[in-house]
Amino acid sequence: MATNVFINLPVSDLARSKQFYTSFGWTLDPNFSNDDAGAVTISDTIHLMILTHSHWAQFTDKQVADATTTSAVINAISVEDPRQIDTMVDQARAAGATEGKAQEFGFMRSRTFADPDGHTWEIMWMDPIARTGDWAAVQAKYGEQQFA
């Protein structure tokens, strides 16, 4: 069985978050969604659980962080084509996201956005050559790279 990733996020308005996350192509799984939670399928192995604050409290004694002012995690999702980055971030912005930072290294690029609750998402693409770790091949294709 493949390893699955389940990202759990507290949200202040579940209906708004369900609408937001499905607006750019992710799907809501009705089998695991109700008035307290939304199960959003990102891919076959990546799932997002959006939870009301009261439901979130069943899993932790910690206070819900205000993600609009505090950063604890950046959820990074890769895409197969670098053009998909712009499409997805533009769709997220149209649905109410706030755009964040962007990075461009030639062999890798990304853009970030914050959802309506302030949770940060990075949409990124990396050339398959770079994924091999063959930096000589990356340098031959893209030249010298400056890393931030």
Side-chain angles (χ1 to χ4, degrees):
M1 182 164 92
T3 298
N4 283 266
V5 175
F6 292 86
I7 301 167
N8 294 272
L9 296 177
V11 298
S12 59
D13 183 334
L14 184 60
R16 175 186 69 186
S17 293
K18 287 177 180 179
Q19 175 63 36
F20 175 79
Y21 284 110
T22 58
S23 72
F24 42 87
W26 295 349
T27 58
L28 190 65
D29 183 345
N31 295 316
F32 299 100
S33 300
N34 56 34
D35 292 339
D36 294 318
V40 180
T41 302
I42 298 173
S43 75
D44 290 342
T45 58
I46 305 171
H47 313 275
L48 171 64
M49 293 299 299
I50 45 179
L51 309 168
T52 62
H53 286 198
S54 60
H55 195 60
W56 176 268
Q58 295 179 11
F59 301 97
T60 182
D61 293 329
K62 294 180 180 181
Q63 182 179 15
V64 173
D66 179 354
T68 62
T69 61
T70 302
S71 179
V73 65
I74 297 172
N75 302 294
I77 302 292
S78 66
V79 293
E80 292 182 20
D81 184 305
R83 293 171 293 204
Q84 291 174 281
I85 295 168
D86 298 324
T87 300
M88 191 165 182
V89 173
D90 291 347
Q91 288 172 324
R93 288 183 59 212
T98 304
E99 186 158 2
K101 296 187 176 206
Q103 294 186 23
E104 176 67 59
F105 296 116
F107 69 91
M108 182 177 82
R109 75 179 288 257
S110 67
R111 287 173 63 190
T112 62
F113 65 85
D115 74 6
D117 286 284
H119 303 292
T120 303
W121 291 86
E122 177 182 47
I123 310 304
M124 58 90 55
W125 170 85
M126 182 183 293
D127 188 308
I129 294 172
R131 291 185 192 166
T132 69
D134 184 349
W135 294 110
V138 171
Q139 188 175 31
K141 184 173 182 179
Y142 294 97
E144 291 290 326
Q145 298 295 314
Q146 298 297 317
F147 299 95

